[in-house]
Amino acid sequence: MPSTIVVGGFFGDEGKGKIIAYLAKHDRPQIVARGGVGPNAGHTVEVAGKKYALRMVPSGFVHESARLLIGAGVLVDPEVLNREVSSLGLKGRVGVDLRCGIIEAKHIEEDRKDADLKGKIGTTGTGCGPANAARALRKAKQAKDIKELEEYLCDVPREINGALDHGNLVLVEGTQGFGISLLYGTYPFVTSKDTSASQMAADVGIGPTRVDAVIVVFKSYPTRVGEGPFETQLSEEKAAELRIEEYGTVTGRKRRIGMWDGKMAAYSAMVNGATAVALSGVDRLDPACRGVKEYGELSKEIQEFVAKVEHDTRVPVKLISTGPELSEIVDLREQ
Ligand code: IMP
Ligand code: MG
């Protein structure tokens, strides 16, 4: 599929980072482009025993020849970006659209001080909400105004559409999850922007007619950080029984754990226009499935769960992640 968008189907932290890194390594796209809100996102990628936590740079960096782009819709924190580029040795590979919005110190301060943002909503405190508000008020800076971003500046839509014109693969990486979309999520307990596939296309500058595939990632057991309703949430005791305990990549806060929500998954698949589902974390439901690469080797319980997910979403499950490592996956796509 020349252009594929990957988005989160629940409340974020569905394991998109791992899925995207796998797709980048396996399908070898020419470009991996990030959409989404900004450095409030935390993607975890594990390759060859090394664990990376990313907030600005696309998780597809693991495919060494891929060009790594940050679309105009995304908010950039120059400090976070520079830190990631140098710690991962990505100089020369990263492009930032000249129109990206900029997070300034005052936005971070406001996000951390504002009683509603910090207290009621439980934001990540990374300045995204105030920066997007400034953007809507036309008071925000753009990447092209920032001296330290000069070396990264580019026209992301031109690069992506050009690659597609030449028949090359482009992977578009969404962040956050459907449940915290400004439009479709549990408002006001949401992030400062839509998080659906259409938004990701707009963020990187490809039109709806140029999107070939949309992979929606669902975690077998949804999780949520920050405040807000969570219909299938388990009690702390029940979550402890399942031995599932997780902490946020950006904030370190404890994630609330829930059960599969078929109703939410169906709605999310519909609005995202899902062409395929990627299911993550089945190894947490059945540790015997850890590292399995063939569908036939999954336990009966997990195979039944996959069938239920397909029944609920009416979308085929094409990828099943069986552990954090890139190689721990069942890939059912036609090769
Ligand atoms: P903000 O995006 O920092 O304004 O936070 C708003 C809400 O979205 C809070 O509940 C955050 O915990 C949540 N949120 C934002 N980004 C992510 C993410 O990447 N994963 C999970 N939750 C997120
Ligand atoms: Mg995350």
Side-chain angles (χ1 to χ4, degrees):
M1 288 293 177
S3 74
T4 298
I5 298 181
V6 180
V7 288
F10 284 139
F11 297 98
D13 309 312
E14 298 89 354
K16 293 179 291 296
K18 142 78 188 272
I19 298 290
I20 291 157
Y22 167 77
L23 292 172
K25 262 278 194 234
H26 189 270
D27 298 1
R28 310 180 62 75
Q30 188 185 67
I31 294 174
V32 185
R34 236 204 74 169
V37 184
N40 51 352
H43 288 177
T44 310
V45 180
E46 260 183 73
V47 216
K50 255 195 106 176
K51 202 165 165 172
Y52 304 90
L54 309 163
R55 292 172 55 198
M56 289 268 36
V57 165
S59 308
F61 81 92
V62 296
H63 169 38
E64 279 102 5
S65 67
R67 171 96 166 124
L68 307 169
L69 299 177
I70 299 177
V74 180
L75 294 167
V76 171
D77 181 329
E79 212 181 297
V80 176
L81 177 73
N82 274 322
R83 211 184 311 135
E84 270 175 29
V85 168
S86 47
S87 76
L88 297 169
L90 300 176
K91 244 187 175 15
R93 289 179 60 195
V94 175
V96 172
D97 191 279
L98 66 166
R99 294 148 294 196
C100 282
I102 296 299
I103 297 177
E104 295 177 70
K106 62 182 179 193
H107 300 137
I108 297 173
E109 198 182 317
E110 190 185 339
D111 204 9
R112 292 181 182 172
K113 271 201 343 227
D114 186 279
D116 281 338
L117 292 175
K118 189 74 219 158
K120 181 177 149 198
I121 312 285
T123 70
T124 58
T126 52
C128 291
N132 267 336
R135 208 174 185 190
L137 291 170
R138 277 127 311 155
K139 286 178 177 168
K141 287 191 171 134
Q142 290 184 302
K144 64 174 164 48
D145 306 322
I146 307 295
K147 187 88 183 96
E148 53 183 308
L149 293 179
E150 211 172 341
E151 60 180 300
Y152 302 114
L153 296 184
C154 68
D155 185 319
V156 168
R158 269 201 203 289
E159 287 199 34
I160 295 183
N161 286 278
L164 294 174
D165 288 343
H166 287 95
N168 293 316
L169 300 190
V170 173
L171 187 57
V172 179
E173 178 170 334
T175 62
Q176 282 80 35
F178 186 76
I180 57 170
S181 159
L182 180 66
L183 301 188
Y184 302 108
T186 52
Y187 188 91
F189 303 99
V190 293
T191 189
S192 51
K193 212 168 94 181
D194 180 28
T195 56
S196 72
S198 311
Q199 178 69 66
M200 300 310 154
D203 283 349
V204 302
I206 51 172
T209 52
R210 286 215 103 164
V211 178
D212 298 296
V214 175
I215 300 176
V216 180
V217 185
F218 291 109
K219 190 145 78 172
S220 307
Y221 55 96
T223 58
R224 177 162 200 170
V225 274
E227 300 306 314
F230 186 5
E231 276 203 23
T232 62
Q233 185 177 346
L234 292 168
S235 65
E236 289 228 10
E237 299 77 62
K238 197 90 196 128
E241 253 171 58
L242 289 172
R243 278 188 278 171
I244 301 176
E245 193 175 295
E246 294 187 9
Y247 295 87
T249 312
V250 176
T251 56
R253 291 178 293 184
K254 195 167 179 179
R255 293 178 183 156
R256 294 182 271 154
I257 312 280
M259 289 195 338
W260 174 257
D261 184 342
K263 221 172 84 194
M264 180 175 180
Y267 198 82
S268 167
M270 175 181 77
V271 176
N272 278 306
T275 58
V277 163
L279 196 57
S280 67
V282 297
D283 54 302
R284 305 299 293 278
L285 296 186
D286 178 3
C289 293
R290 174 75 193 254
V292 164
K293 294 180 177 114
E294 299 294 332
Y295 182 81
E297 283 165 26
L298 293 169
S299 61
K300 191 161 162 279
E301 177 201 346
I302 295 299
Q303 290 187 5
E304 280 170 10
F305 179 59
V306 171
K308 176 177 169 43
V309 171
E310 293 192 329
H311 175 84
D312 287 345
T313 59
R314 291 194 274 163
V315 176
V317 173
K318 293 289 193 185
L319 295 159
I320 304 166
S321 176
T322 56
E325 261 288 329
L326 287 203
S327 57
E328 296 175 315
I329 196 163
V330 179
D331 187 349
L332 298 167
R333 299 173 303 156
E334 289 80 23
Q335 302 304 312

